[in-house]
């Protein structure tokens, strides 16, 4: 009887990625990682070659947000350090991405030669990534390589943050330990601590006059959206989201209040949340943007704050309790069902009844028209700035259909992220909202969309520069070279472009884009550089005071 062939280190890494639901790996090859790329070519994984490593990183990040795990594969240092910025953003916003980097072979490193791509020491790149990953490894020992792969993957999935795997090129085809068996380590809450926390929480919720839930990004990351809905429906407690957590609940749901973001948000939502005597913060990031540049007024003495890393009720902290267990425990707890109360609801943005051919598109008018354009299969992907803040009031139909870097706030996210979204969920059609400044950073990734047969609708908000910064402090440094964005399909050899100045042109372009499903569409919408959404005006007024 022939014994089963032991997988090589590269083959095992592919097997484990596939087992965890990864079907696409983003990146750009280089000589140090070509052997692994060839292994992926012969595997069930599809490699998606982007125009640039930064685009690969953003695409893998968005893929992870939708599918649960993403992967980016690049070469040593010249590729790895270019992907550092997107991975830093994934760490900040809790997105589980595996970084796979090729590297010089173990034997090549003897006597410390000056090999190409090397920066300082052979471990320089690993040291960089240790700053924004939860686990890292160099697969230099065949006896431990399989175990190390599983250790990094386990940490990434547990903490929903990136991990780093460095694969020396002479280790790719080397067999690993022949008798290794992967085993899952089940993490559990301390039962006594969890019981005490749930009793404390139930007492506070049941005794409250006007409890409210603030739902944020970790509910997306840990796949707990259904549990959130069950909790709201069990108790009749309404739900507000943050900007980072937007679409954690379908916004047509009768329990949905809207986005809470302190003084930046709608006044009726702010009043309702801040007058609550029991604010239940679930998976929330207390960041400056989420809190309306710290204009939010949330009293810890009236709060239950539960995340994957912390659980506190009023001023009492509970250690060794899993976020998932606490939320599931609330569903089993004896929480009283309240009579449906009167609370705010988001109002539908509606455009003018009859678009005019002689009226220029405004920022407000653009988002009003986009709101009626959304469908059940639309996923809104926003870049930083007006694209993100103007979209805060869009009426998202279903859960997890809104993505934007609302904490790390790196420009250039949206176009490559749209690619990651559509590959992670082929039933979705991304609506990508991006400013002209951010588009000039990564917008050429629409070439990648064309190459792989994807059909995002990309709306470029052309206000001739960095519009977010102009209200804070303006100068020539906020200008960018004007491009004819709508003519890029001619350069790339595919797609459709539209130039939009007026309400009628916007309406016609959106209707044509909806019908054109065979490739991407790019709408260049011309806007006055001094026209801003109300949300951006409120934000920049507060940021200007800090400059």
């Amino acid at each position: 009887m022939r014994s089963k062939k032991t997988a090589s280190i590269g083959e095992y890494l592919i097997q484990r990625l596939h087992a965890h639901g990864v079907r696409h790996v983003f990146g750009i090859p280089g000589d140090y990682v070509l052997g692994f790329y060839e292994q992926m070519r012969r595997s069930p994984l599809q490699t998606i070659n982007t125009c640039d490593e930064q685009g690969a990183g953003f695409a893998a990040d968005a893929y992870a947000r939708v599918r649960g795990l993403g992967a980016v594969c690049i070469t040593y240092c010249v590729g790895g350090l270019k992907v550092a910025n997107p991975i830093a953003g994934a760490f900040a916003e809790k997105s589980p991405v595996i970084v796979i980097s090729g590297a010089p072979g173990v034997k090549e490193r003897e006597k410390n030669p000056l090999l190409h791509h090397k920066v300082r020491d052979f471990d320089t790149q690993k040291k960089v990534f240790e700053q924004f990953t939860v686990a890292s490894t160099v697969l230099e020992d065949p006896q431990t390589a399989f175990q190390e792969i599983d250790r990094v993957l386990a940490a990434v999935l547990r903490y929903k943050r990136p991990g780093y795997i460095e694969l020396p090129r002479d280790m790719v085809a080397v067999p690993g330990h022949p008798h290794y068996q992967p085993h899952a380590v089940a993490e559990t809450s301390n039962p006594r601590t969890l019981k005490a926390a749930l009793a404390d929480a139930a007492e506070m919720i049941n005794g409250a006059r006007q409890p409210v839930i603030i739902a944020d990004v970790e509910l997306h990351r840990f796949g707990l959206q259904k549990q959130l809905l069950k909790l709201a429906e069990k108790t009749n407690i309404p739900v507000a989201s943050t900007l980072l957590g937007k679409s954690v609940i379908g916004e047509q749901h009768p329990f949905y209040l809207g986005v809470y973001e302190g003084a930046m948000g709608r006044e009726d939502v702010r009043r309702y949340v801040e007058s609550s005597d029991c604010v239940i913060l679930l998976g929330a990031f207390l960041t400056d943007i989420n809190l309306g540049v710290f204009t939010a007024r949330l009293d810890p003495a009236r709060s239950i704050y539960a995340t994957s890393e912390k659980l506190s009720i009023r001023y009492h902290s509970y250690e060794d309790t899993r976020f998932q267990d606490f939320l599931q425990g609330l569903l089993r707890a004896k929480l009283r069902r309240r009579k449906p109360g009167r609370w705010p609801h988001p109002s539908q943005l509606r455009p003018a009844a009859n678009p005019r051919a002689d009226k220029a598109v405004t920022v407000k008018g653009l988002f009003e028209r986009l709101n009626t354009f959304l469908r059940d299969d639309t996923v809104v992907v926003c870049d930083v700035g007006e694209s993100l803040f103007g979209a805060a009031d869009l009426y998202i139909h279903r859960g997890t259909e809104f993505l934007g870097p609302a904490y790390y706030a790196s420009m250039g996210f949206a176009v490559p992220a749209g690619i990651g979204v559509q590959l992670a969920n082929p039933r979705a059609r991304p609506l990508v909202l991006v400013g002209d400044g951010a588009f000039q950073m990564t917008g050429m990734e629409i070439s990648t969309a064309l190459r792989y047969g994807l059909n995002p609708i990309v709306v470029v908000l052309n206000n001739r520069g960095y519009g977010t910064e102009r209200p804070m402090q303006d100068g020539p440094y906020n200008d960018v070279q004007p491009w004819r964005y709508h003519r890029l399909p001619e350069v790339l050899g595919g797609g459709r472009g539209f130039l939009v100045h007026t309400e009628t042109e916007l309406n016609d372009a959106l209707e044509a884009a909806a019908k054109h499903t065979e490739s991407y569409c790019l709408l260049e919408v011309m806007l006055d550089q001094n026209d801003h959404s109300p949300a951006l005006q409120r934000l920049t007024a507060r940021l200007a005071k800090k400059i």
Side-chain angles (χ1 to χ4, degrees):
M1 183 175 178
R2 295 181 65 183
S3 61
K4 185 178 178 181
K5 179 185 175 183
T6 302
S8 71
I9 293 172
E11 289 168 342
Y12 185 79
L13 177 54
I14 290 169
Q15 291 171 14
R16 298 307 292 156
L17 290 172
H18 192 271
H20 287 295
V22 173
R23 298 294 180 267
H24 303 84
V25 177
F26 303 86
I28 293 178
D31 61 335
Y32 288 126
V33 77
L34 282 176
F36 185 64
Y37 261 79
E38 179 61 22
Q39 286 186 337
M40 287 195 290
R41 188 184 68 82
R42 300 194 303 265
S43 81
L45 301 182
Q46 182 182 3
T47 54
I48 305 297
N49 293 126
T50 53
C51 299
D52 184 76
E53 286 89 352
Q54 183 168 223
F58 285 133
D61 178 0
Y63 189 95
R65 296 182 191 213
V66 173
R67 198 170 180 94
L69 183 65
V72 58
C73 182
I74 35 74
T75 195
Y76 184 63
C77 285
V78 293
L81 297 180
K82 287 179 76 175
V83 88
N85 177 61
I87 299 305
F91 182 89
E93 297 186 6
K94 287 200 170 179
S95 183
V97 181
I98 292 288
V99 179
I100 304 164
S101 176
V106 174
K107 293 181 180 178
E108 292 178 275
R109 303 185 190 200
E110 294 176 3
K111 298 184 180 179
N112 200 28
L114 295 179
L115 300 180
H116 64 286
H117 300 338
K118 182 182 173 187
V119 178
R120 184 172 179 174
D121 300 314
F122 282 111
D123 63 351
T124 295
Q125 179 175 274
K126 180 176 183 290
K127 288 179 178 177
V128 170
F129 276 91
E130 284 173 352
Q131 299 303 308
F132 36 79
T133 58
V134 291
S136 61
T137 189
V138 179
L139 302 179
E140 56 190 357
D141 183 353
Q143 295 301 304
T144 61
F146 292 176
Q147 181 180 344
E148 282 294 283
I149 290 168
D150 286 329
R151 179 183 66 82
V152 172
L153 282 168
V156 168
L157 295 170
R158 160 64 180 86
Y159 294 102
K160 306 301 180 185
R161 280 186 159 137
Y164 175 80
I165 294 176
E166 189 171 300
L167 184 54
R169 63 177 167 185
D170 60 357
M171 291 288 109
V172 173
V174 174
H177 194 292
H179 305 298
Y180 174 77
Q181 294 292 330
H183 62 280
V185 178
E187 186 181 31
T188 59
S189 299
N190 182 307
R192 295 178 62 183
T193 307
L194 179 62
K195 182 179 179 181
L198 289 168
D200 195 359
E203 180 184 5
M204 185 176 178
I205 295 169
N206 287 334
R209 169 187 49 82
Q210 184 183 301
V212 66
I213 296 169
I214 296 181
D216 199 5
V217 67
E218 282 198 337
L219 294 167
H220 286 291
R221 301 294 186 263
F222 287 91
L224 298 171
Q225 299 96 325
K226 290 181 179 178
Q227 287 86 336
L228 168 67
L229 274 177
K230 289 179 181 178
L231 180 62
E233 292 168 351
K234 170 185 175 178
T235 59
N236 280 338
I237 297 175
V239 178
S241 75
T242 65
L243 186 56
L244 188 61
K246 184 174 169 68
S247 81
V248 70
I249 181 173
E251 298 184 356
Q252 82 289 350
H253 198 283
F255 289 94
Y256 182 64
L257 298 173
V259 175
Y260 172 73
E261 46 185 338
M264 277 175 55
R266 286 176 21 227
E267 180 62 18
D268 55 349
V269 176
R270 186 193 67 79
R271 280 200 307 267
Y272 191 91
V273 170
E274 294 182 2
S275 63
S276 171
D277 54 346
C278 179
V279 179
I280 307 166
L281 294 128
L282 297 178
F285 280 18
L286 301 182
T287 71
D288 56 350
I289 296 177
N290 262 356
L291 298 179
V293 196
F294 298 125
T295 59
R297 297 289 179 263
L298 300 176
D299 184 355
R302 294 182 294 164
S303 300
I304 297 171
Y305 182 47
T307 71
S308 65
E309 298 176 6
K310 180 180 180 180
L311 173 59
S312 61
I313 301 171
R314 299 185 181 96
Y315 293 109
H316 190 178
S317 294
Y318 292 89
E319 304 293 335
D320 301 323
T321 54
R322 293 173 75 241
F323 180 43
Q324 302 95 312
D325 294 340
F326 178 73
L327 185 53
Q328 197 64 43
L330 288 179
L331 291 175
R332 295 192 298 266
K334 293 181 179 179
L335 301 179
R336 69 183 178 95
R337 183 177 177 83
R338 299 159 186 277
K339 294 180 180 179
R342 296 182 62 184
W343 49 67
H345 295 285
S347 57
Q348 282 270 28
L349 296 175
R350 298 191 184 280
N354 297 306
R356 290 169 49 179
D358 61 345
K359 186 174 181 182
V361 176
T362 64
V363 174
K364 182 174 181 289
L366 171 63
F367 284 99
E368 288 172 344
R369 180 61 184 91
L370 289 175
N371 196 56
T372 63
F373 180 72
L374 303 182
R375 301 291 182 267
D376 285 350
D377 64 346
T378 304
V379 176
V380 178
V381 185
C382 299
D383 218 290
V384 178
E386 195 66 272
S387 305
L388 179 63
F389 300 120
D393 292 328
L394 291 178
Y395 199 74
I396 306 301
H397 292 203
R398 295 181 178 178
T400 314
E401 291 189 342
F402 184 95
L403 280 77
Y407 170 39
Y408 187 63
S410 176
M411 294 174 69
F413 171 84
V415 175
I419 293 166
V421 164
Q422 195 164 26
L423 288 169
N425 179 10
R427 296 185 300 275
R429 190 174 191 191
L431 175 64
V432 176
L433 307 178
V434 56
D436 53 329
F439 187 91
Q440 291 195 10
M441 297 179 180
T442 59
M444 296 308 287
E445 293 295 351
I446 56 172
S447 172
T448 306
L450 182 66
R451 176 180 178 181
Y452 292 99
L454 307 177
N455 62 355
I457 298 172
V458 179
V459 179
V460 179
L461 284 68
N462 187 350
N463 55 11
R464 294 175 295 285
Y466 304 129
T468 309
E469 296 172 358
R470 292 193 194 279
M472 292 185 273
Q473 184 168 300
D474 202 6
Y477 37 77
N478 288 327
D479 300 334
V480 299
Q481 174 67 22
W483 291 5
R484 295 180 180 179
Y485 302 94
H486 66 285
R487 300 194 65 178
L488 283 173
E490 299 173 41
V491 176
L492 300 178
R496 288 196 64 185
F498 304 85
L499 179 61
V500 173
H501 289 93
T502 68
E503 291 180 346
T504 301
E505 290 173 343
L506 175 62
N507 198 61
D508 293 346
L510 286 172
E511 289 182 358
K515 295 174 183 176
H516 181 86
T517 58
E518 55 265 37
S519 65
Y520 75 89
C521 292
L522 191 154
L523 284 65
E524 179 182 358
V525 181
M526 305 304 296
L527 299 166
D528 188 306
Q529 68 179 24
N530 296 313
D531 181 23
H532 307 289
S533 69
L536 184 57
Q537 291 175 21
R538 292 190 294 267
L539 172 66
T540 53
R542 287 168 176 81
L543 290 179
K545 296 177 182 178
K546 298 178 180 292
I547 294 176

